[in-house]
Amino acid sequence: MPTYTYSCNACQHRFDEVQSIHDDALATCPECGGSLRKVFGSVGVAFKGSGFYRNDSRDSRKSTPSSSTSSTSSSSSTTTGSNKSSSS
């Protein structure tokens, strides 16, 4: 069963309560009788590996034009290299 953290709006008393997800949320503070609100904390999720960040998917698109540029320069050096071997 999950543990929920509550905070009182009147006296700032904070406490944890183990409740079923089907139970209604608590409404009154056990210390002063004031109204309560649920406190939501950060979620402990870690995304590891490639493909989770916005720039991961864009790298493949950016590398495609740059790889065609590098293949053009490598093809010109290949042509130059074949000319040198022909002239020898």
Side-chain angles (χ1 to χ4, degrees):
M1 289 206 312
T3 302
Y4 296 101
T5 302
Y6 288 93
S7 177
C8 177
N9 293 328
C11 70
Q12 305 303 320
H13 174 67
R14 290 177 70 123
F15 63 97
D16 294 334
E17 186 70 28
V18 178
Q19 293 179 296
S20 170
I21 55 175
H22 301 293
D23 292 344
D24 291 332
L26 299 180
T28 57
C29 176
E31 298 286 320
C32 72
S35 64
L36 292 175
R37 65 178 179 89
K38 278 188 180 179
V39 178
F40 296 100
S42 60
V43 179
V45 176
F47 296 105
K48 295 183 179 182
S50 62
F52 290 106
Y53 295 98
R54 187 176 192 182
N55 57 0
D56 284 346
S57 62
R58 293 180 182 221
D59 284 344
S60 62
R61 288 187 215 141
K62 287 183 179 179
S63 64
T64 305
S66 64
S67 65
S68 65
T69 306
S70 63
S71 65
T72 306
S73 62
S74 64
S75 65
S76 63
S77 64
T78 307
T79 308
T80 309
S82 63
N83 287 342
K84 286 182 180 181
S85 61
S86 323
S87 61
S88 297

